[in-house]
Amino acid sequence: MTKAELIFTVSGATDIPPDAVRRALNAITDTIIETVGSGDSVAIPGFGTFSSKHRAERIGRNPRTGELMEIPACDVPVFKPGKQMKDAVSGK
């Protein structure tokens, strides 16, 4: 499902105009990005938790040349699904 399809699906389910749904969705995603970017987490019960995780420096291999290379440490975004999400995906 694309973002546009999500907007129209939510609009149809809630009788809220698509433009209002788009603005709300953009505000939600922008807030999650800003919050996780600042090092905090966002928990939506039943859906999941958005957070960041520090990935340590490590040694990797360049797939093209086979040469060993140092991969610098960085922070990466992480999503941990909630129980309701896990159950829906697993078919329970």
Side-chain angles (χ1 to χ4, degrees), residues 49-66:
T49 303
F50 298 90
S51 61
S52 64
K53 180 179 178 182
H54 183 74
R55 185 177 287 168
E57 183 178 286
R58 61 198 188 279
I59 301 296
R61 188 174 300 275
N62 183 330
R64 184 175 294 169
T65 65

Side-chain angles (χ1 to χ4, degrees), residues 5-82:
E5 292 169 337
L6 177 62
I7 289 168
F8 283 106
T9 300
V10 171
S11 176
T14 61
D15 294 327
I16 298 173
D19 189 52
V21 174
R22 182 181 45 74
R23 286 193 315 266
L25 181 59
N26 288 339
I28 291 168
T29 56
D30 290 346
T31 302
I32 291 171
I33 290 168
E34 289 173 18
T35 303
V36 172
S38 69
D40 292 330
S41 63
V42 176
I44 303 172
F47 183 73
T49 303
F50 298 90
S51 61
S52 64
K53 180 179 178 182
H54 183 74
R55 185 177 287 168
E57 183 178 286
R58 61 198 188 279
I59 301 296
R61 188 174 300 275
N62 183 330
R64 184 175 294 169
T65 65
E67 177 184 349
L68 291 177
M69 55 188 281
E70 184 178 298
I71 301 170
C74 63
D75 292 326
V76 294
V78 177
F79 175 73
K80 181 179 178 190

